[in-house]
Amino acid sequence: MAKILSGKEMSEQLIQEQAVRVAQLHEQGIFPGLAVVLVGEDPASQIYVRNKGIACEKIGIHSQTIRMAEDCSQEELLDTIQKLNNDPKISGILVQLPLPKHLNEEEVLSTILPEKDVDGFHLMNVGKLSTGQTGVVPCTPKGVLYMLKQAGIDLKGKEAVIIGRSNIVGKPAATLLLNEHCTVTICHSRTQNLAEHTRRADILVAAIGKPNFVTADMVKPGAVVIDVGINRLDGKVVGDVAYEDVEKVAGWITPVPGGVGKMTISMLMENTLEAACAQAR
Ligand code: NDP
């Protein structure tokens, strides 16, 4: 039976540590602040944004949610971001994705100042990550790496296989694991003989968005299986991994819920604290 990599436990520990750090920063006159911009009424986005606000409250970070109408214009959105760029109370800015189709996501993300880009999606931060420089690392892959390290899993020389090549999860996760000296394979919807790749993986990351996609026969016995997926199935939240089958063969596994999702929010808090410190310097 696989050991559980609990994002819930790790994030609870992190909340306590971060609360102490925030109190220390306050004593030094540094007041971290996070602004979240939400465009439209997407129900899942509303939940994510609310959870981010709750996390800020728990550790003592000032938070602000800016709600904009579904039909707001590109100019209105860019103007809002510019104001937040110039606001000294705000150390981090996050625009909740996905945006309504009429808005240009690329332009929106590159309008956020790179030092306030706590999601790590600005091209400057993407470039820094892929060239091994210090920049802001996207929260979900950063959380995945944190979990692996926290569990003491040795990464050097290991075969890592990632299913999914999105800019927000798959690609940055691959870069981070490559930087940790894994041998990395990225799979996607056109990959042939997917299971042949996944069965080689010592570390298998599933970021697909399809419920119960990864089955036990796709997993090498003893592998570390990281389930990034968040899917709704019959009223329940499930991951991309068929948990009950895969836990019988894997060495480690992350549950959904209570796995990577929790760490994503913790890493957002981490990025906001780091941004506040960097701006104070
Ligand atoms: P995207 O839809 O952007 O990417 C999905 C990837 O999966 C694509 O690269 C796609 O390939 C690949 N894929 C789709 N079908 C197959 C298939 N049959 N075989 C192999 N690969 C396939 O999703 P995201 O990366 O944004 O998110 C992935 C999942 O993670 C979602 O469930 C999302 O909700 C969740 N998520 C969870 C977070 C968390 O905090 N836990 C944060 C962000 C996302 P191709 O490129 O060829 O289309």
Side-chain angles (χ1 to χ4, degrees), residues 3-13 48 51 143 147 225-231 236-239 243 253-266:
K3 284 185 263 184
I4 293 173
L5 267 171
S6 171
K8 186 167 180 288
E9 277 172 23
M10 289 183 198
S11 68
E12 278 164 7
Q13 176 70 34
Y48 295 143
N51 288 343
M147 293 175 98
V225 179
I226 306 285
D227 191 352
V228 179
I230 299 180
N231 310 290
K236 270 177 48 186
V237 175
V238 300
Y243 186 89
I253 191 165
T254 63
V256 178
V260 176
K262 291 273 180 201
M263 294 313 296
T264 296
I265 296 196
S266 280

Side-chain angles (χ1 to χ4, degrees), residues 48 140 163-166 168-170 187-190 194 207-210 213 228-231 240 260-261 264:
Y48 295 143
T140 300
I163 320 177
R165 56 174 164 180
S166 72
I168 63 172
V169 188
C187 300
H188 46 78
S189 67
R190 319 287 164 86
L194 181 66
I208 312 151
K210 296 205 162 136
F213 183 91
V228 179
I230 299 180
N231 310 290
D240 288 344
V260 176
T264 296

Side-chain angles (χ1 to χ4, degrees), residues 159-163 183 185-188 191-204 213-221 223:
E159 289 283 339
V161 175
I162 294 142
I163 320 177
T183 302
T185 304
I186 307 177
C187 300
H188 46 78
T191 297
Q192 293 184 5
N193 306 320
L194 181 66
E196 275 178 27
H197 294 283
T198 60
R199 275 198 290 267
R200 277 192 293 105
D202 301 306
I203 319 281
L204 179 60
F213 183 91
V214 175
T215 47
D217 58 315
M218 295 167 75
V219 175
K220 174 176 169 179

Side-chain angles (χ1 to χ4, degrees), residues 2-240:
K3 284 185 263 184
I4 293 173
L5 267 171
S6 171
K8 186 167 180 288
E9 277 172 23
M10 289 183 198
S11 68
E12 278 164 7
Q13 176 70 34
L14 264 173
I15 287 169
Q16 290 182 15
E17 291 170 17
Q18 288 169 338
V20 172
R21 271 164 64 202
V22 171
Q24 288 166 346
L25 289 175
H26 284 179
E27 280 171 17
Q28 297 164 34
I30 300 169
F31 295 89
L34 174 68
V36 178
V37 181
L38 174 61
V39 182
E41 308 282 331
D42 178 62
S45 294
Q46 306 245 22
I47 295 171
Y48 295 143
V49 168
R50 200 177 59 223
N51 288 343
K52 287 164 188 171
I54 292 170
C56 286
E57 212 171 296
K58 279 189 187 156
I59 68 167
I61 292 185
H62 161 72
S63 82
Q64 193 180 335
T65 303
I66 294 111
R67 291 170 197 278
M68 303 191 65
E70 177 90 29
D71 61 354
C72 80
S73 68
Q74 180 80 1
E75 288 64 37
E76 283 171 312
L77 181 53
L78 296 185
D79 189 48
T80 300
I81 293 170
Q82 288 296 5
K83 285 192 181 121
L84 295 169
N85 280 342
N86 295 325
D87 185 343
K89 289 198 298 300
I90 297 301
S91 2
I93 304 168
L94 179 154
V95 176
Q96 186 65 42
L97 302 178
L99 288 171
K101 296 252 174 315
H102 67 281
L103 297 169
N104 178 342
E105 189 174 294
E106 242 168 66
E107 191 187 15
V108 168
L109 295 179
S110 55
T111 301
I112 299 172
L113 278 178
E115 56 270 33
K116 291 196 175 187
D117 165 41
V118 281
D119 251 342
F121 297 160
H122 190 288
L123 290 182
M124 175 88 85
N125 286 317
V126 175
K128 282 186 170 173
L129 178 63
S130 61
T131 54
Q133 297 177 56
T134 307
V136 185
V137 176
C139 304
T140 300
K142 184 171 178 164
V144 168
L145 188 60
Y146 183 93
M147 293 175 98
L148 292 168
K149 289 197 164 175
Q150 198 67 13
I153 293 162
D154 186 22
L155 297 171
K156 212 180 288 172
K158 296 288 162 63
E159 289 283 339
V161 175
I162 294 142
I163 320 177
R165 56 174 164 180
S166 72
N167 290 334
I168 63 172
V169 188
K171 279 186 212 156
T175 307
L176 282 177
L177 290 169
L178 185 61
N179 292 348
E180 295 295 325
H181 312 295
C182 288
T183 302
V184 179
T185 304
I186 307 177
C187 300
H188 46 78
S189 67
R190 319 287 164 86
T191 297
Q192 293 184 5
N193 306 320
L194 181 66
E196 275 178 27
H197 294 283
T198 60
R199 275 198 290 267
R200 277 192 293 105
D202 301 306
I203 319 281
L204 179 60
V205 180
I208 312 151
K210 296 205 162 136
N212 304 325
F213 183 91
V214 175
T215 47
D217 58 315
M218 295 167 75
V219 175
K220 174 176 169 179
V224 181
V225 179
I226 306 285
D227 191 352
V228 179
I230 299 180
N231 310 290
R232 278 170 185 77
L233 185 68
D234 303 329
K236 270 177 48 186
V237 175
V238 300
D240 288 344

